[in-house]
Amino acid sequence: MLKNDQPLIFELSREGRTGYSLPEMDVPQVDLSELIPAEYTREEAPELPEVSELDIMRHYTALSKRNHGVDSGFYPLGSCTMKYNPKINENVARFNGFAHLHPLQETEGVQGALELMYDLQEHLKEITGMDEVTLQPAAGAHGEWTGLMMIRAYHEANGDTKRTKVIVPDSAHGTNPASATVAGFETVTVKSDENGLVDMEDLKRVVGDDTAALMLTNPNTLGLFEENILEMASIIHQAGGKLYYDGANLNAVMSKARPGDMGFDVVHLNLHKTFTGPHGGGGPGSGPVGVKSDLIPYLPKPVLIKRDEEYLFEYDRPQSIGRVKPYYGNFGINVRAYTYIRTMGPDGLKAVTENAVINANYMMRRLAPHFDLPYDRHCKHEFVISGKRQKKLGVRTLDIAKRLLDFGYHPPTIYFPLNVEECMMIEPTETESKETIDAFIDAMIQIAKETEENPEIVQEAPHTTVIKRLDETLAARKPVLRYTKED
Ligand SMILES: *Cc1c(COP(=O)(O)O)cnc(C)c1O
């Protein structure tokens, strides 16, 4: 029995009860044992639950309510841009002409789909200021790896094989050093200064003729816009390295500033964040990569091109790093992103950026008196506060996160970035109303008060969920995912 008295589907089972009705058989029955060798067939029927259609409906509906999603409540998970996913995107992705395509269809028969992808690439070129875009990568981290492999191929083609190091600031997203390592580079960390920005002296110290690239997350994971980008670009370029822009958080700069104009050579975007692809729970993503002209030869192949009004995949790309994804990316997510860009238009995208930044600054200012603000300056789409003050009273940031569940909120990202003690990284996004934002702030302030007056209520939270606290290590390492029948 799960808590909340919801029986397991197996406990609901009654022999002979069915949730389906099939028409009378009008073909002769076949004995499968004559067709399938005995070694491949089971001896006994599986013990499946026998339940009515209504029971099964209620079972899955009840389970679905145990998920927290953007459609069920506020989700300020920093760096993840859990904004609303407009339902028009879903309608368009379900058009027969998109949803029922087969990936092996000949290009002549799918010109509309190719046009959409090509057009999306053109829009992303415009939004990022890059010269060419590939839609192949399936996620942000995949885009990072793809971009770094292109940088690697570029240096190798120039005979520049001593460039083995990728510089990554300590305020970068965690995937950056991981992608650099998987792409075969050694990661060199540069520190943040007291303002939370890349420490320029430290950067000058680590850069050299072995620098392959700098990977910059901007805004960084403290939600701060890096102020010295042009200087960084010139330092790295002078040393012969390439500049990589982690654009997963483009929600804060879109239609205001373009990585291409700042001197970046490669950028990836997360269409499942900024451009409203539904995400979380491991659903398909899309992490397109844009490059400047000198990296175009290394783009993954095939490359989608337009020739004489026809859309084609070009395979003859001798310097390409090769294919990075079967077919050509996650088409369904690209349809959603395209729909979003077209429904918003340039002015709409600019308003998104402005509102995302205003919402984050508003929330940061209202929370500042009640928590510690490690970097007291304007933030972009997200900000970082610290629960240091609460920790002195015996309440950890983890407890605050758990207590938020009682209010029906998904907690913010916690304990990241690593350079801020008892960190909470909060991203409200532009799609939330002032009422929702105020209600969340009020809940945070109440938790801060509880910490002073009645810390146990926070330390023992959550009080309203089906399961209280998991042993998170055990849950990750040895998850129990199967029902075991008791005899
Ligand atoms: C989310 C994110 C990533 C990783 O994207 P995935 O799609 O999860 O692989 C990389 N960088 C930043 C800044 C991000 O916010």
Side-chain angles (χ1 to χ4, degrees), residues 78-81 138-142 144 172-176 217-219 221 246-249 268 270 272-273 285-287:
S79 204
C80 295
T81 313
H142 193 196
E144 290 166 26
H173 195 76
T175 48
N176 288 201
T217 302
N218 188 54
T221 51
D246 180 333
N249 291 330
H268 88 262
N270 276 28
H272 47 291
K273 292 180 182 170
S286 181

Side-chain angles (χ1 to χ4, degrees), residues 37 39 108 122 132 217 228 280 282 329 338 430 462 473-474 480 486:
E39 65 196 282
E108 301 91 80
E122 294 296 304
E132 199 51 83
T217 302
N228 303 312
Y338 182 76
E430 76 286 358
T473 312
L474 205 62
V480 182
E486 288 164 26

